[in-house]
Amino acid sequence: MTEIKGVGVLGCGLMGSGIAQVAAAAGYDTLVRDVSRDIWDRARAGIEKSLAKFVEKGKLTAAQRDAALKRLTFTTTTGDLARCDIVVEAVTEDLELKNALWQELDGRSAPATIFASNTSSLTIAAMAAATRRGDRFVGLHFFNPVPLMPLIEVVRTVTTSEETFRRAFAFAKSLGKEPVAAKDNSGFIVNLLLVPYLLDAIRAVEHGVASVPDIDKAMQLGCGYPMGPLTLLDLVGLDTTYRIAEIMFTEYREQRYAPPPLLKHMVIAGLNGRKSGKGFYDYSVDPPKLVALGI
Ligand code: 3HC
């Protein structure tokens, strides 16, 4: 089995920067690609902040943090990732965009290089089929916040080879994560169950079942969830959730995946959650305060 030394990461938004951080912290030379250095500067500042928290808590030494930061490099040229042994893609949930990047890399990457998508809801086979390495294509689905959440869903398509699956599974473990095997169905395991729950929480707000903080409190205290569904939506991103719901609804044609109008309206208004400063809560103050929605 070819050893994985260099990791490429396509996209450094919320998920891509987290993936780059855990790869670098696990000892891999990590090359990140995005469209501008400004985006990378913001991502790198977030990575530095997160690593500083681990140092503060004694989970990393200052020397380990510095070594991890040294292993992180950035490029705006997709082709530069051709030298990596595995490329993990974490760009917007847009199949055309993803496939354009995969096709740009496919002809240049070494035969043994594994392509892995962090898609939340698109079918991995639809990306694998756009390349000539269907046998070396998997899904590696991480969870937000990537440095803290232990799970990775390792997704095998109908064409993924046994060796690729084993290498990807071992790679996920080497990041200090707990991999589980999942089939290539839209949403895999977690989003298949989580997305209807999150959308139902929005529907509960629409129907005036209870206030936003009380819905959150109820699920935290009644079910032992670490955060309520509306706080979790703010963390995941309302825009991201909207896109995932649209893809899953198109796939399954089941009402439970249909994005509720309130979600759409909040996304149109730019209330995307933590990353935009406001969603169901306003993060410009500490602790965050409730946003007054005109509904
Ligand atoms: N890096 C390093 N440390 C971090 C961090 C980060 N990015 N974010 C938070 N921390 C630290 C905090 O500083 C805090 O440290 P302390 O204990 O020393 O104060 C500690 O982690 C705990 O954080 P908080 O006190 O802010 O909050 P919580 O105790 O609630 O823990 C959480 C945070 C781990 C995010 C927890 O709330 C949780 O597990 N929430 C659920 C998240 C979840 O469900 N994620 C999955 C989303 S679905 C998904 O990603 C799939 C996609 O396809 C949609």
Side-chain angles (χ1 to χ4, degrees), residues 50 53-54 57 120 141 143-145 148-149 191 194 226-227 232 235-236 244:
S50 175
K53 279 188 198 167
F54 286 121
K57 287 193 199 162
S120 307
H141 186 218
F143 294 84
N144 187 12
L148 298 186
M149 303 309 281
N191 281 337
L194 179 66
M227 50 174 60
L232 182 54
L235 177 74
V236 169
I244 294 172

Side-chain angles (χ1 to χ4, degrees), residues 108-121:
R108 302 175 194 207
S109 297
T113 298
I114 294 177
F115 285 0
S117 175
N118 177 58
T119 183
S120 307
S121 47

